[in-house]
Amino acid sequence: MRIAVYPGSFDPITNGHLDVIERASRLYDKLIVGVLSNVSKQPLFTAGERVKMIAQVTEHLENVEVDSFTGLLVDFAKSKKATVIVKGLRTVADFEYEFQMALLNKALNPEYETMFMMTDTKYSYISSSMVRELAGFHGDLTGLVPREIIKVIKEKYK
């Protein structure tokens, strides 16, 4: 069974993230979306809230599982019996950072391969931080995040 992990903070999940999840789910028998619970960051949503949102917008994908993790990605991947790490890219700047992380993960565990997937160009300008900023000013999130979670995001800013 080919199992891949798609890690990220997903604070919140965007249409770009969902695009990568949908496409990667077609390439692997199982895709695990790993929601990073990073103690050094102050996320808008708890890890549990992010897991719930991602599970909601991916419920149509039978081979997608959503879970949260702390610590090293390679340890999480090993616990899930994954052999591939999927990384979504929007820009060249994303590639430079993710390439370094891929090399580090390979050094930590040579068994893991990293697959880079470009998001659809129509989502290449969308970031979670941009969504949070726009939501903070009560801007329209249509087309930036899955419609099912727009209300949840707006509730955070009431």
Side-chain angles (χ1 to χ4, degrees):
M1 179 178 252
R2 296 170 306 151
I3 302 172
V5 170
Y6 176 38
S9 57
F10 307 105
D11 188 36
I13 186 171
T14 68
N15 284 338
H17 294 133
L18 187 55
D19 173 60
V20 171
I21 291 168
E22 288 174 339
R23 291 172 34 234
S25 74
R26 294 192 299 263
L27 300 175
Y28 299 98
D29 299 313
K30 183 183 221 179
L31 177 68
I32 299 155
V33 180
V35 177
L36 177 61
S37 182
N38 189 339
V39 292
S40 67
K41 288 187 175 182
Q42 298 257 324
L44 177 62
F45 294 96
T46 67
E49 289 170 325
R50 289 177 275 152
V51 166
K52 186 177 176 182
M53 282 189 287
I54 297 166
Q56 179 184 358
V57 301
T58 60
E59 65 185 358
H60 64 288
L61 303 169
E62 293 180 12
N63 65 331
V64 172
E65 173 185 313
V66 187
D67 200 357
S68 63
F69 73 100
T70 57
L72 296 176
L73 172 58
V74 292
D75 292 340
F76 177 69
K78 183 176 184 176
S79 76
K80 296 294 186 176
K81 297 181 175 48
T83 56
V84 176
I85 297 166
V86 175
K87 295 300 224 142
L89 302 175
R90 294 173 299 140
T91 64
V92 173
D94 285 351
F95 174 76
E96 290 178 13
Y97 173 78
E98 295 299 351
F99 183 68
Q100 288 179 323
M101 294 304 297
L103 293 175
L104 176 61
N105 288 330
K106 192 77 165 167
L108 292 171
N109 191 330
E111 295 176 26
Y112 292 107
E113 294 296 336
T114 299
M115 186 191 74
F116 297 108
M117 288 189 81
M118 297 300 299
T119 189
D120 189 299
T121 55
K122 65 185 171 191
Y123 305 125
S124 63
Y125 68 96
I126 303 171
S127 69
S128 292
S129 58
M130 182 193 76
V131 167
R132 289 191 308 270
E133 185 170 347
L134 186 61
F137 289 108
H138 308 290
D140 184 9
L141 302 179
T142 304
L144 304 178
V145 299
R147 61 179 168 67
E148 301 94 327
I149 65 167
I150 290 175
K151 184 177 179 182
V152 176
I153 296 169
K154 288 183 175 189
E155 287 292 318
K156 282 285 184 179
Y157 289 98
K158 282 192 172 182

